[in-house]
Amino acid sequence: MASEDIAKLAESLAKTKVGGGQLSFKGQSLKLNTAEDAEEVIKQIEEFDGLEALRLEGNTVGVEAAKVIAKALEKKSELKRCHWSDMFTGRLRSEIPPALISLGDALITAGAQLVELDLSDNAFGPDGVRGFEALLKSPACYTLQELKLNNCGMGIGGGKILAAALKECHRKSSAQGKPLALKIFVAGRNRLENDGATALAEAFGIIGTLEEVHMPQNGINHPGITALAQAFAINSLLKVINLNDNTFTEKGAVAMAETLKALRQVEVINFGDCLVRSKGALAIADALKEGLHKLKELNLSFCEIKRDAALSVAEAIEDKVELEKLDLNGNCLGEEGCEQLQEILEGFNMATVLGSLSDDEGEEEDDEEEEEEEEEEEEEEEEEEEEVEQQQLKERGQGEQDSMTPKKIISSQDSTPVPSPPVDVATFLAFPSPEKLLRLGPKCSVLIAQQTDTSDVEKVVTALLRISSVFKDEAPVKTAVHETTDALMKKAFSSATFNSDAFITRLLIHMGLLKSEEKIKAVPSLYGILMTLNHMVQQDYFPKSLAPVLSAFVTKPNRALDSCSFARHMLLQTLHQL
């Protein structure tokens, strides 16, 4: 290490805060790559008697440095709180799991009994969960009360691994006579989606001691919300429920409202930007009337709630003497509805609890709501029609087979399952799903590339967005998406007539990152395309001249990008390294 680096490190360490059993290196921007880099940190740890909390946030720790720090922690049996968020800045994802394994093994060896583990803002993905899986299952976490994993990009796979580890921890600790009693769980911005949320809901139902659950921006729809609602009902001590920016719709909202009726300790409900809609809001209003007497905050902002339903919510809080904040901003009340809302609250002497209504969307006509409902019904009908078509294909295939053989009556006991019919490229591109992509077979990449007119930029963009929309962190799907993208884009970029600049422009428009005079509906989620681009930009066929353009637009503030912060971070990190 250069002398100036040592001097800089010494200066940073001079700012280290010590007190109350806590040793803090928070926010010192230490770059700990090697054992030598970590010498001063290790010295501080070793010399600290009675170490109960170690803060390493805002630094970057490599694999080798993690190993030697871990060695120092092996003798710190009194350690209870690990504040280890944002401690792998600039690291490759492959570096993080082994670093976490070293640190976790050290805590197990030390015989530590953790109360808090915070690994938030570390972009470790599903593989990173494997890095602390053993720790979660060990006696070191039998005493865990707070687990914070915000913005880690765990994905569905990571969520399932985490859920299994928590269940195993509860099983083992229960056998010891002291069941895991987790109180606070934080896992926002992780793309858990329905499957990840459902797996965690099962763990929550087993644990039963949660007081706070924070899972905003996870792409959870009503099946996952319903599973969580059922689990929350078992956790009678719940005080804070934060599911902001997921998608309840009526089904999820009604399920959650039923659970709220059974909970007696709830103080904070954050269902903002959750598409609760009017019917869901009315169900929540009923729950408010029946209980929730300790409620302090209720956020139902940006939920497409209409005037009458919003007024019902306001009327339902009349006896909530502890309420401090009611947020109904960004809904569809209209000017008259906003005034009525304020009048109702003034009648209860509760006008001060109402938040701003500056972003109210205005009162919509009933026919507009009907049109929205009709669109949803049409989407459901399309899915049903597709299932019917597939069933008809099965029946036709069976019928053709039957016509070539003597007719006979087959009992249900003799019948065997009919395999799924093959999928063609047009079907996949019209109704993309991971299952359909895999069912296209090993030649899916070649087939899609062959059947896409790469002289037409718009068709290439559309095909790419359809392919990337089915992206999952699970190996077979991830590989299929990457291989199909490579075949399509290699063909496109190698064509002399393909306009690369027009391609990136159209792609940014469809992603909602660039405005257009045309009315083009942006893709509902950017996660898949961002993860696919992260792979794409690393390939030889991708024109490096497009990287600065892509980087500039992905860097700009954008709400859709904010909800995919892990994927955005991964892409920007890759673009920076090109």
Side-chain angles (χ1 to χ4, degrees), residues 128-159:
V129 185
R130 295 285 188 198
F132 59 93
E133 179 184 16
L135 173 63
L136 281 180
K137 294 179 179 179
S138 75
C141 284
Y142 291 177
T143 51
L144 194 64
Q145 295 180 14
E146 301 180 29
L147 179 59
K148 300 173 182 177
L149 299 166
N150 200 56
N151 192 30
C152 293
M154 290 189 289
I156 294 172

Side-chain angles (χ1 to χ4, degrees), residues 464 467 480-490 532 536 541:
L464 176 62
I467 294 164
V481 169
H482 286 173
E483 289 179 350
T484 308
T485 298
D486 289 342
L488 173 67
M489 299 313 304
K490 187 174 183 180
T532 303
M536 204 169 98
Y541 62 74

Side-chain angles (χ1 to χ4, degrees), residues 369-424:
E369 182 177 20
E370 290 172 1
E371 286 174 6
E372 290 176 355
E373 291 174 350
E374 286 171 2
E375 287 175 2
E376 290 178 358
E377 289 169 0
E378 287 171 1
E379 290 174 359
E380 291 174 357
E381 287 171 1
E382 286 174 356
E383 292 174 359
E384 290 171 0
E385 287 171 2
E386 189 180 356
E387 291 173 1
V388 169
E389 288 173 0
Q390 290 179 359
Q391 185 62 35
Q392 289 172 344
L393 283 170
K394 290 179 184 179
E395 292 170 356
R396 281 202 297 269
Q398 186 64 44
E400 290 169 2
Q401 183 179 355
D402 289 345
S403 67
M404 297 171 66
T405 57
K407 292 182 180 180
K408 62 180 180 179
I409 299 174
I410 302 174
S411 70
S412 59
Q413 292 178 341
D414 294 331
S415 63
T416 56
V418 179
S420 299
V423 175
D424 58 23

Side-chain angles (χ1 to χ4, degrees), residues 192-497:
L192 295 169
E193 301 183 14
N194 289 331
D195 290 347
T198 300
L200 285 167
E202 186 178 339
F204 296 163
I206 292 170
I207 294 169
T209 56
L210 288 166
E211 296 180 10
E212 295 185 22
V213 175
H214 302 263
M215 295 174 65
Q217 294 185 6
N218 270 298
I220 308 170
N221 299 325
H222 73 80
I225 296 297
T226 300
L228 287 172
Q230 293 168 350
F232 291 168
I234 300 170
N235 289 263
S236 59
L237 300 177
L238 266 174
K239 295 179 180 178
V240 178
I241 304 175
N242 177 7
L243 295 174
N244 188 282
D245 201 6
N246 289 292
T247 307
F248 282 41
T249 63
E250 180 188 344
K251 291 180 181 179
V254 169
M256 192 62 68
E258 285 301 309
T259 287
L260 291 175
K261 292 177 182 179
L263 298 176
R264 296 287 179 265
Q265 307 300 322
V266 176
E267 297 178 0
V268 177
I269 296 172
N270 187 345
F271 297 160
D273 206 8
C274 283
L275 208 63
V276 166
R277 290 192 171 138
S278 295
K279 290 181 180 178
L282 288 171
I284 292 171
D286 287 341
L288 286 165
K289 291 174 184 176
E290 294 189 23
L292 298 171
H293 296 295
K294 295 186 177 181
L295 191 64
K296 294 181 179 178
E297 293 185 21
L298 174 60
N299 185 347
L300 293 175
S301 60
F302 298 94
C303 281
E304 294 190 6
I305 300 170
K306 294 187 176 296
R307 179 181 63 180
D308 291 346
L311 297 181
S312 294
V313 171
E315 290 167 351
I317 67 168
E318 180 179 3
D319 61 345
K320 304 299 178 284
V321 294
E322 295 188 31
L323 191 70
E324 299 171 358
K325 183 178 180 181
L326 173 63
D327 193 345
L328 288 168
N329 198 19
N331 287 299
C332 310
L333 281 68
E335 185 176 347
E336 184 179 346
C338 290
E339 291 175 357
Q340 290 175 323
L341 181 64
Q342 290 167 335
E343 288 173 2
I344 289 172
L345 294 175
E346 285 172 0
F348 303 154
N349 292 320
M350 297 178 70
T352 56
V353 306
L354 183 63
S356 170
L357 297 173
S358 60
D359 292 318
D360 185 74
E361 295 288 342
E363 190 169 10
E364 294 181 358
E365 298 294 334
D366 290 341
D367 60 344
E368 290 183 0
E369 182 177 20
E370 290 172 1
E371 286 174 6
E372 290 176 355
E373 291 174 350
E374 286 171 2
E375 287 175 2
E376 290 178 358
E377 289 169 0
E378 287 171 1
E379 290 174 359
E380 291 174 357
E381 287 171 1
E382 286 174 356
E383 292 174 359
E384 290 171 0
E385 287 171 2
E386 189 180 356
E387 291 173 1
V388 169
E389 288 173 0
Q390 290 179 359
Q391 185 62 35
Q392 289 172 344
L393 283 170
K394 290 179 184 179
E395 292 170 356
R396 281 202 297 269
Q398 186 64 44
E400 290 169 2
Q401 183 179 355
D402 289 345
S403 67
M404 297 171 66
T405 57
K407 292 182 180 180
K408 62 180 180 179
I409 299 174
I410 302 174
S411 70
S412 59
Q413 292 178 341
D414 294 331
S415 63
T416 56
V418 179
S420 299
V423 175
D424 58 23
V425 171
T427 302
F428 167 73
L429 291 177
F431 304 101
S433 73
E435 294 74 20
K436 290 193 187 78
L437 182 61
L438 295 177
R439 278 166 52 200
L440 278 171
K443 293 185 178 180
C444 64
S445 58
V446 176
L447 291 172
I448 291 177
Q450 286 177 343
Q451 296 185 39
T452 302
D453 181 4
T454 51
S455 65
D456 188 326
V457 167
E458 189 67 21
K459 289 181 179 178
V460 174
V461 169
T462 300
L464 176 62
L465 289 170
R466 295 293 173 87
I467 294 164
S468 64
S469 71
V470 307
F471 179 91
K472 284 188 175 182
D473 285 310
E474 297 168 5
V477 177
K478 183 178 181 179
T479 301
V481 169
H482 286 173
E483 289 179 350
T484 308
T485 298
D486 289 342
L488 173 67
M489 299 313 304
K490 187 174 183 180
K491 178 186 174 185
F493 285 127
S494 62
S495 172
T497 59

